[in-house]
């Protein structure tokens, strides 16, 4: 595997389900990000982890719970989601620092029924 | 007012045309400017990166930054059907050690053979 991988690629869940999204980066980076991409809207930064520590949480509802067990893996735990949470969820990683190119995974297309 | 404004399009051009994509922004502290390209069902990938004002050229692509007008552009010469994608502008102040980026909405480009 190379770059940033995400699983699953597609997920359909009911509002009462609990599911998790997984991201893995094979680039040796030390910062990882979760973004939400909705139609006709800019990418929304949700969480940032730097050296496995959460350094940014952009007022995301508590039904989204991130976890970063090590510098290569990032999870997004989902529970009691709403239909408006349906979107493409993108994971990215970078070397960190003032500016570093962010490398994106292919995303998980989430549909909440 | 959004920090970054980008016309979502869609923009449709014939093959071989010169394409101009633009973003305006309101935060004068932005110093790092990027263009990402996103193909359907893929994550964004970095296309061009510019620091502060000026031009940068890479093959058929030219990025311009005019900080006095708070305006950035991406030009594509001799456009090809393979250039059909969504183009996202992104910016950073450089003040965050997490490399936080602010994205535009994205412009969808279709190049017709």
């Amino acid at each position: 595997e190379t770059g940033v991988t995400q699983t699953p690629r597609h997920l359909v869940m009911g509002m009462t389900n609990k599911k998790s999204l997984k991201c893995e980066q094979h680039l040796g980076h030390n910062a990882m990000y979760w973004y939400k991409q909705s139609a006709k809207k800019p990418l929304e930064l949700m969480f940032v982890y730097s050296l496995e520590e959460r350094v940014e949480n952009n007022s995301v509802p508590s039904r989204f719970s991130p976890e970063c067990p090590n510098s290569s893996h990032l999870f997004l735990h989902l529970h009691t989601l709403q239909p408006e949470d349906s979107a493409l969820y993108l994971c990215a990683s970078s070397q960190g620092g003032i500016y570093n190119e962010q490398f994106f995974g292919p995303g998980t297309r989430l549909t909440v029924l | 007012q959004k920090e970054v404004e980008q016309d979502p399009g869609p923009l449709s051009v014939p093959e071989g045309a010169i394409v101009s994509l633009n973003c305006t922004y309101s935060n004068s502290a932005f110093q790092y400017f990027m263009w990402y390209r996103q193909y359907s069902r893929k994550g964004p990938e970095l296309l061009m990166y510019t620091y502060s004002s000026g031009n940068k050229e890479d093959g058929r692509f030219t990025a311009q930054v005019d900080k006095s007008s708070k305006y950035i552009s991406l030009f594509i010469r001799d456009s090809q059907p393979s250039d059909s994608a969504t183009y996202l502008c992104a910016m950073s102040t450089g003040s965050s050690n997490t490399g936080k980026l602010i994205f535009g909405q994205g412009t969808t480009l279709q190049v017709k053979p």
Side-chain angles (χ1 to χ4, degrees):
Chain A
E1 296 276 18
T2 58
V4 180
T5 58
Q6 289 186 245
T7 55
R9 293 293 308 277
H10 301 273
L11 178 62
V12 178
M13 59 187 289
M15 288 191 285
T16 59
N17 291 158
K18 289 184 180 181
K19 297 286 184 183
S20 296
L21 309 184
K22 178 183 175 182
C23 174
E24 184 173 359
Q25 59 97 358
H26 310 267
L27 300 168
H29 290 164
N30 53 33
M32 297 187 76
Y33 312 77
W34 277 119
Y35 287 90
K36 177 183 179 182
Q37 188 174 35
S38 304
K40 308 298 183 185
K41 292 178 71 176
L43 279 171
E44 299 174 51
L45 180 63
M46 301 175 72
F47 302 103
V48 182
Y49 276 82
S50 178
L51 296 172
E52 302 154 42
E53 179 181 344
R54 191 191 311 179
V55 295
E56 190 137 353
N57 177 344
N58 280 354
S59 303
V60 179
S62 59
R63 56 186 184 268
F64 294 91
S65 175
E67 179 190 0
C68 187
N70 55 60
S71 60
S72 298
H73 293 86
L74 186 64
F75 293 89
L76 188 62
H77 304 299
L78 316 171
H79 64 97
T80 58
L81 293 190
Q82 304 298 309
E84 60 265 29
D85 296 322
S86 298
L88 181 68
Y89 288 84
L90 290 161
C91 173
S93 71
S94 78
Q95 194 57 36
I98 295 175
Y99 163 72
N100 271 287
E101 177 183 355
Q102 292 184 20
F103 291 78
F104 286 83
T108 294
R109 173 68 62 185
L110 173 67
T111 303
V112 181
L113 301 176
Chain B
Q1 182 186 12
K2 295 178 184 175
E3 276 195 284
V4 180
E5 299 269 6
Q6 184 177 9
D7 185 340
L11 179 63
S12 182
V13 301
E15 183 176 354
I18 297 175
V19 176
S20 173
L21 304 169
N22 312 294
C23 288
T24 59
Y25 61 94
S26 58
N27 187 348
S28 58
F30 285 140
Q31 297 190 75
Y32 300 87
F33 303 91
M34 286 132 269
W35 286 95
Y36 279 82
R37 178 175 61 195
Q38 185 175 20
Y39 289 114
S40 180
R41 299 184 182 86
K42 297 285 182 83
E45 58 177 342
L46 184 67
L47 191 60
M48 298 283 285
Y49 154 65
T50 309
Y51 171 69
S52 194
S53 284
N55 294 358
K56 187 171 185 178
E57 188 173 322
D58 184 2
R60 297 184 295 110
F61 299 89
T62 300
Q64 286 186 354
V65 175
D66 182 348
K67 292 189 71 177
S68 62
S69 301
K70 298 190 181 70
Y71 188 87
I72 70 170
S73 300
L74 177 70
F75 297 96
I76 307 174
R77 291 184 299 280
D78 187 25
S79 56
Q80 303 295 310
S82 58
D83 295 326
S84 298
T86 297
Y87 291 81
L88 307 164
C89 63
M91 308 177 189
S92 170
T93 62
S95 61
S96 165
N97 62 2
T98 60
K100 178 179 177 179
L101 298 177
I102 306 299
F103 284 84
Q105 188 175 341
T107 300
T108 299
L109 170 68
Q110 184 179 24
V111 181
K112 295 184 175 179

